[in-house]
CSV table of all heavy atoms in Angstrom, one decimal:
chain,number,residue,atom,x,y,z
J,87,TRP,N,-8.8,18.4,-17.3
J,87,TRP,CA,-9.1,19.3,-18.4
J,87,TRP,C,-10.0,20.4,-17.8
J,87,TRP,O,-10.7,20.2,-16.8
J,87,TRP,CB,-9.8,18.6,-19.6
J,87,TRP,CG,-11.1,18.1,-19.4
J,87,TRP,CD1,-12.3,18.7,-19.4
J,87,TRP,CD2,-11.4,16.7,-19.2
J,87,TRP,NE1,-13.4,17.9,-19.2
J,87,TRP,CE2,-12.9,16.6,-19.0
J,87,TRP,CE3,-10.7,15.5,-19.1
J,87,TRP,CZ2,-13.5,15.4,-18.8
J,87,TRP,CZ3,-11.4,14.3,-18.8
J,87,TRP,CH2,-12.7,14.3,-18.7
J,88,SER,N,-10.1,21.6,-18.5
J,88,SER,CA,-10.9,22.7,-18.0
J,88,SER,C,-11.1,23.6,-19.2
J,88,SER,O,-10.3,23.7,-20.2
J,88,SER,CB,-10.1,23.5,-16.9
J,88,SER,OG,-8.8,23.9,-17.4
J,89,ASP,N,-12.2,24.4,-19.2
J,89,ASP,CA,-12.5,25.2,-20.3
J,89,ASP,C,-11.8,26.5,-20.2
J,89,ASP,O,-11.6,27.2,-21.2
J,89,ASP,CB,-14.1,25.5,-20.4
J,89,ASP,CG,-14.6,26.2,-19.1
J,89,ASP,OD1,-13.8,26.6,-18.3
J,89,ASP,OD2,-15.9,26.3,-19.0
J,90,ASN,N,-11.3,26.9,-19.0
J,90,ASN,CA,-10.5,28.1,-18.8
J,90,ASN,C,-11.3,29.4,-19.1
J,90,ASN,O,-10.8,30.5,-19.3
J,90,ASN,CB,-9.2,28.1,-19.6
J,90,ASN,CG,-8.0,28.6,-18.8
J,90,ASN,OD1,-8.1,28.7,-17.5
J,90,ASN,ND2,-6.9,28.9,-19.4
J,91,THR,N,-12.7,29.2,-19.0
J,91,THR,CA,-13.5,30.4,-19.3
J,91,THR,C,-14.6,30.6,-18.2
J,91,THR,O,-15.2,31.6,-18.1
J,91,THR,CB,-14.2,30.4,-20.6
J,91,THR,OG1,-15.0,29.2,-20.7
J,91,THR,CG2,-13.2,30.4,-21.8
J,92,CYS,N,-14.9,29.5,-17.4
J,92,CYS,CA,-16.0,29.6,-16.4
J,92,CYS,C,-15.5,30.4,-15.2
J,92,CYS,O,-14.3,30.7,-15.1
J,92,CYS,CB,-16.4,28.2,-16.0
J,92,CYS,SG,-15.3,27.4,-14.9
J,93,PRO,N,-16.4,30.8,-14.3
J,93,PRO,CA,-16.0,31.6,-13.2
J,93,PRO,C,-14.8,31.0,-12.3
J,93,PRO,O,-13.9,31.7,-11.9
J,93,PRO,CB,-17.3,31.7,-12.3
J,93,PRO,CG,-18.4,31.6,-13.3
J,93,PRO,CD,-17.9,30.6,-14.4
J,94,ALA,N,-14.9,29.7,-12.1
J,94,ALA,CA,-13.8,29.1,-11.3
J,94,ALA,C,-12.5,29.2,-12.0
J,94,ALA,O,-11.4,29.5,-11.4
J,94,ALA,CB,-14.2,27.6,-11.0
J,95,CYS,N,-12.5,28.9,-13.3
J,95,CYS,CA,-11.3,29.0,-14.1
J,95,CYS,C,-10.7,30.4,-14.1
J,95,CYS,O,-9.5,30.6,-14.0
J,95,CYS,CB,-11.5,28.5,-15.6
J,95,CYS,SG,-11.7,26.8,-15.8
J,96,LEU,N,-11.6,31.4,-14.3
J,96,LEU,CA,-11.1,32.8,-14.3
J,96,LEU,C,-10.6,33.2,-12.9
J,96,LEU,O,-9.8,34.1,-12.8
J,96,LEU,CB,-12.3,33.7,-14.7
J,96,LEU,CG,-12.7,33.5,-16.2
J,96,LEU,CD1,-13.9,34.4,-16.5
J,96,LEU,CD2,-11.6,33.7,-17.2
J,99,ILE,N,-8.8,28.7,-10.4
J,99,ILE,CA,-8.9,27.3,-9.8
J,99,ILE,C,-9.6,26.4,-10.8
J,99,ILE,O,-10.7,26.0,-10.7
J,99,ILE,CB,-9.7,27.3,-8.4
J,99,ILE,CG1,-10.9,28.2,-8.5
J,99,ILE,CG2,-8.8,27.6,-7.3
J,99,ILE,CD1,-11.7,28.1,-7.2
J,100,GLN,N,-8.8,26.1,-11.9
J,100,GLN,CA,-9.2,25.3,-13.0
J,100,GLN,C,-9.6,23.9,-12.6
J,100,GLN,O,-10.4,23.2,-13.3
J,100,GLN,CB,-8.2,25.3,-14.1
J,100,GLN,CG,-8.0,26.6,-14.9
J,100,GLN,CD,-7.0,27.6,-14.2
J,100,GLN,OE1,-6.7,27.4,-13.1
J,100,GLN,NE2,-6.6,28.5,-15.0
J,101,THR,N,-9.2,23.4,-11.4
J,101,THR,CA,-9.6,22.1,-11.0
J,101,THR,C,-11.0,22.1,-10.4
J,101,THR,O,-11.5,21.1,-9.9
J,101,THR,CB,-8.6,21.6,-10.0
J,101,THR,OG1,-8.1,22.6,-9.2
J,101,THR,CG2,-7.4,20.9,-10.7
J,102,SER,N,-11.6,23.3,-10.4
J,102,SER,CA,-13.1,23.4,-10.0
J,102,SER,C,-13.9,23.8,-11.2
J,102,SER,O,-15.0,24.1,-11.1
J,102,SER,CB,-13.3,24.4,-8.9
J,102,SER,OG,-12.8,24.0,-7.7
J,103,CYS,N,-13.3,23.6,-12.4
J,103,CYS,CA,-14.0,24.0,-13.6
J,103,CYS,C,-15.4,23.3,-13.7
J,103,CYS,O,-15.5,22.1,-13.5
J,103,CYS,CB,-13.2,23.7,-14.9
J,103,CYS,SG,-14.0,24.0,-16.4
J,104,GLU,N,-16.4,24.1,-14.1
J,104,GLU,CA,-17.7,23.5,-14.2
J,104,GLU,C,-17.9,22.5,-15.3
J,104,GLU,O,-18.8,21.7,-15.3
J,104,GLU,CB,-18.8,24.6,-14.2
J,104,GLU,CG,-18.7,25.6,-15.3
J,104,GLU,CD,-19.6,26.8,-15.1
J,104,GLU,OE1,-19.7,27.4,-14.0
J,104,GLU,OE2,-20.3,27.1,-16.1
J,105,ARG,N,-17.0,22.6,-16.3
J,105,ARG,CA,-17.0,21.6,-17.4
J,105,ARG,C,-15.8,20.7,-17.3
J,105,ARG,O,-15.4,20.0,-18.3
J,105,ARG,CB,-17.0,22.3,-18.7
J,105,ARG,CG,-18.3,23.1,-18.9
J,105,ARG,CD,-18.3,23.8,-20.3
J,105,ARG,NE,-19.4,24.8,-20.3
J,105,ARG,CZ,-19.3,26.1,-19.8
J,105,ARG,NH1,-18.1,26.5,-19.3
J,105,ARG,NH2,-20.3,26.9,-19.8
J,106,GLY,N,-15.1,20.7,-16.2
J,106,GLY,CA,-13.8,20.0,-16.1
J,106,GLY,C,-14.0,18.5,-15.8
J,106,GLY,O,-15.0,18.0,-15.5
B,1,ZN,ZN1,-13.9,26.3,-16.2
Side-chain angles (χ1 to χ4, degrees):
W87 68 80
S88 54
D89 60 10
N90 225 12
T91 56
C92 77
C95 284
L96 294 177
I99 41 174
Q100 287 88 342
T101 37
S102 289
C103 177
E104 53 189 50
R105 297 179 192 86

